[in-house]
Amino acid sequence: MADRWALAPAGDGGVDVVALGPDGLPAGPVRREPDPAEAVRSRPGVTRWVWRSTAEVYPRLLATGVRVERCYDIEDAETLLLGHEGRYGEPRSAAAALARLRGGPVPPDPPQRPAEPGAQSPLFEPQGVHLPLTDLVAVYAEQLRRHDAAAHPGRMRLLTAAESAGMLVAAEMNRAGLPWRADVHRQVLHELLGERYAGGGEPRRLAELADEISAAFGRRVRPDLPADVIKAFAQAGIKVRSTRRWELRSVDHPAVRPLLEYKRLYRIWVAHGWSWLQDWVRDGRFRPEFLAGGTVTGRWVTNGGGALQIPKVIRRAVVADPGWCLVVADADQMEPRVLAAISRDPGLMEVAGRETDLYQSVSDRAFSGDRDQAKIAVLGAVYGQTSGDGLKNLAALRRRFPQAVAYVDDAARAGEEGRLVRTWLGRTCPPAARTGDDAAEEAGIPQDEHPDAPGPQEWVPGYASTDARARGRFARNFVVQGSAADWALLLLAALRQACAGMAAELVFFQHDEVIVHCPKEEADAVVTAIREAAELAGRLTFGETPVRFPFTTAVVECYADAK
DNA sequence: AGTTTCGGCGCC
DNA sequence: AAAGGGCGCCGAAACT
């Protein structure tokens, strides 16, 4: 039996701790400890620490060199449990959970803090509302009981445990930072953008391109202002609805080429230029704030620095320390493999049981060997494509892999009808709001503007409204993207365990890609650990299936040299 | 003047 | 005719 203890900050800089029994209730006296790190360090036998918020407690422990094996994040579990219970939007703080348990007024959640560039981690300052340890433990014990009532209790327990593990990983990655060579970054910027001019205006290359664009139009045009560009095209006799790249690409005009180049470089300048470097890179590390479970699908987000959108050219600045290397590992065709595992489609599982290119295998069976068509069809099925080649090819996909396509179709229908949709482990998609609360809207779920107002399409039986179809697409994608996120959490947890005995550190995670920074001697062991963690995560998440989860791994000094 | 939304694009 | 899902970030535009 795992040795579980609960921990809560005591307000005087110390902590209260208590041992927990199998029912989650105290199995001993509450002890006040003056030093949080020592409180944990002196109890090496504890395999899971239960606390209100990992983000509140764990960075402090890490700062003093203390790591924990496992944890249980009560407020994160509350969020997942409320969602699973169809109670999305109810306050999810531990204080709110306690109030629901005791029957008092339920306090609203405190507002989210916006990210501040370059700020020291705010996690030293307690966020949210503190609860006395005994109250916290009461909430925890109740949560354990609520797991038993889930659709699949075992999976739900795995989900909350996995996301808590993800929060440990996130905190450790936030502390480690991504190795970043500011000098290389500046060199890349100089090559792409040219010299900077005093005063913070456009760098040389952008100014030159702006001149080219203006010359092509025959008048001064500000290429960073879409309205100005659209007007300029109109004056040249060309009607464009927007200045998006895909639309401009087919326009025949001498301004198009420099305009597209301007937009590419402008993006790098404003989002990953010199001021970004100033704001986000310190002491050879880029330190974004990773946030596990930051989206409704379970994907992570980062606060600040755009860490999940680092342009490929900028990745040249990600360089391992001397004597160290980066193990860059990318899951191969993760989404269709996850779809195979959750749908249990025999044909797709058979295909996903190989480590070879899955899209090629699918195309051999259903698309006469045309890999591109197969990929478009699979992604179209997952994303709910409604037109174009994907739709046409969906029919071929449905013939060969009926159970897989039916799985996402069912999810889409459930989404349209406002029913609950869950990932494999039980993360639940917010349904359309019916009660006037706006939690789902805040979470980005498409809503009907006026659910009761008759729309023109509602007269036609069997056809959902535009908004309902949008919810259907969301739900369709949710089951795949979200189940993939479930699996990724287990992967991270397993990989973290494997790296525990090494100097290797997880430094980056992006949906289906992970980077480990390690001494060169450990590279082989890390590559093996990733492969094993992926298979273990597959078994733990989805049970015994033939589906494999291969990774492409590259051992490199520079991120840009991977793949 | 300060805050929110929009357009566009980066990544998966 | 047809807009495939999820995010974050920036400046400009629109709003208060």
Side-chain angles (χ1 to χ4, degrees):
Chain A
M1 183 61 207
D3 200 359
R4 276 177 303 176
W5 282 60
L7 178 155
D12 59 0
V15 289
D16 290 331
V17 296
V18 67
L20 300 177
D23 55 2
L25 291 168
V30 173
R31 299 207 177 97
R32 172 70 52 93
E33 300 270 354
D35 178 3
E38 190 54 32
V40 172
R41 209 189 332 250
S42 64
R43 295 177 173 84
V46 177
T47 53
R48 192 180 299 279
W49 283 97
V50 176
W51 50 48
R52 182 184 69 84
S53 161
T54 309
E56 175 195 42
V57 174
Y58 197 45
R60 251 190 309 187
L61 297 177
L62 285 175
T64 54
V66 174
R67 297 196 171 209
V68 302
E69 196 174 323
R70 296 188 184 83
C71 78
Y72 178 96
D73 186 303
I74 289 174
E75 292 195 337
D76 180 65
E78 186 66 24
T79 304
L80 293 168
L81 286 164
L82 283 174
H84 194 91
E85 293 159 353
R87 300 158 68 194
Y88 241 101
E90 291 189 32
R92 50 204 167 183
S93 69
L98 181 72
R100 284 188 288 264
L101 188 59
R102 299 266 166 88
V106 177
D109 288 333
Q112 293 294 313
R113 165 196 57 85
E116 286 176 33
Q120 172 57 286
S121 166
L123 306 171
F124 289 88
E125 301 150 28
Q127 297 258 313
V129 183
H130 284 282
L131 288 185
L133 184 58
T134 48
D135 287 343
L136 202 58
V137 169
V139 171
Y140 172 63
E142 174 65 12
Q143 286 185 347
L144 291 185
R145 288 193 289 275
R146 287 159 69 193
H147 281 80
D148 295 335
H152 298 279
R155 294 189 205 171
M156 197 65 199
R157 282 188 282 267
L158 192 55
L159 176 63
T160 53
E163 195 153 272
S164 286
M167 292 184 156
L168 294 180
V169 174
E172 290 166 7
M173 289 197 331
N174 293 344
R175 177 164 180 80
L178 186 63
W180 199 279
R181 285 273 298 272
D183 56 329
V184 175
H185 188 164
R186 284 191 202 95
Q187 186 188 330
V188 171
L189 292 177
H190 188 267
E191 286 169 16
L192 292 172
L193 301 170
E195 298 80 19
R196 312 166 69 181
Y197 294 134
E202 289 183 326
R204 176 177 55 77
R205 186 72 191 123
L206 283 179
E208 289 169 358
L209 285 165
D211 288 344
E212 274 188 65
I213 293 159
S214 295
F217 281 121
R219 73 166 177 86
R220 194 71 215 166
V221 172
R222 288 270 309 269
D224 55 327
L225 303 184
D228 199 23
V229 173
I230 290 172
K231 201 194 308 173
F233 272 117
Q235 286 164 356
I238 297 170
K239 278 175 71 175
V240 289
R241 269 190 67 251
S242 71
T243 66
R244 292 201 173 103
R245 183 163 51 206
W246 62 265
E247 186 165 352
L248 292 184
R249 207 157 35 198
S250 55
V251 170
D252 182 26
H253 188 277
V256 168
R257 188 202 54 78
L259 192 51
L260 293 180
E261 179 69 358
Y262 180 95
K263 290 161 87 71
R264 182 178 79 88
L265 295 177
Y266 177 81
R267 163 82 190 170
I268 289 167
W269 178 49
V270 299
H272 291 277
W274 291 278
S275 57
W276 180 93
L277 192 53
Q278 180 79 31
D279 286 342
W280 294 107
V281 176
R282 288 269 186 289
D283 305 323
R285 293 290 186 271
F286 167 39
R287 297 176 192 283
E289 187 189 342
F290 284 91
L291 199 62
T295 73
V296 289
T297 62
R299 276 190 171 184
W300 291 24
V301 296
T302 56
N303 273 335
L308 301 183
Q309 299 97 231
I310 304 169
K312 295 238 161 80
V313 284
I314 300 298
R315 295 177 182 185
R316 280 169 55 190
V318 182
V319 180
D321 290 348
W324 287 49
C325 61
L326 301 169
V327 180
V328 181
D330 203 308
D332 300 331
Q333 310 100 34
M334 177 180 62
E335 273 145 335
R337 290 176 188 279
V338 167
L339 177 56
I342 61 180
S343 70
R344 300 299 212 249
D345 182 286
L348 197 56
M349 281 200 295
E350 197 266 322
V351 166
R354 308 164 199 278
E355 301 215 344
T356 52
D357 181 4
L358 184 142
Y359 293 123
Q360 187 61 53
S361 303
V362 167
S363 69
D364 290 343
R365 279 161 182 73
F367 295 93
S368 314
D370 187 336
R371 184 184 185 276
D372 289 344
Q373 296 282 308
K375 184 171 181 178
I376 289 170
V378 169
L379 294 180
V382 171
Y383 290 156
Q385 187 164 24
T386 56
S387 65
D389 287 351
L391 196 63
K392 188 182 64 188
N393 293 333
L394 191 58
L397 200 67
R398 186 177 275 115
R399 275 195 298 278
R400 292 305 302 251
F401 309 105
Q403 206 166 314
V405 176
Y407 192 92
V408 286
D409 283 350
D410 287 348
R413 194 171 311 113
E416 285 182 4
E417 294 169 0
R419 307 200 313 268
L420 294 182
V421 175
R422 308 188 196 282
T423 66
W424 185 258
L425 289 187
R427 187 187 305 274
T428 304
C429 177
R434 295 288 180 210
T435 59
D437 92 0
D438 54 359
E441 186 74 74
E442 285 172 12
I445 313 302
Q447 305 290 314
D448 282 323
E449 286 288 310
H450 305 287
D452 297 328
Q457 284 150 332
E458 289 183 9
W459 298 346
V460 185
Y463 283 82
S465 73
T466 304
D467 291 323
R469 283 201 302 274
R471 290 199 303 272
R473 284 195 300 274
F474 184 90
R476 173 190 296 271
N477 180 253
F478 177 87
V479 293
V480 178
Q481 188 186 115
S483 297
D486 292 348
W487 167 80
L489 283 173
L490 271 293
L491 164 79
L492 288 172
L495 183 56
R496 172 178 182 267
Q497 291 288 75
C499 289
M502 299 190 266
E505 282 188 312
L506 277 155
V507 292
F508 189 71
F509 170 62
Q510 184 178 39
H511 314 315
D512 64 349
E513 179 180 355
V514 61
I515 300 181
V516 177
H517 188 219
C518 67
K520 285 179 175 165
E521 315 84 76
E522 290 182 357
D524 288 346
V526 169
V527 169
T528 302
I530 290 168
R531 191 171 60 235
E532 292 174 354
E535 294 304 327
L536 178 61
R539 283 199 304 281
L540 285 175
T541 307
F542 304 115
E544 290 299 331
T545 75
V547 179
R548 309 294 304 274
F549 293 92
F551 269 77
T552 297
T553 56
V555 179
V556 292
E557 289 183 11
C558 173
Y559 187 16
D561 295 335
K563 69 178 151 184

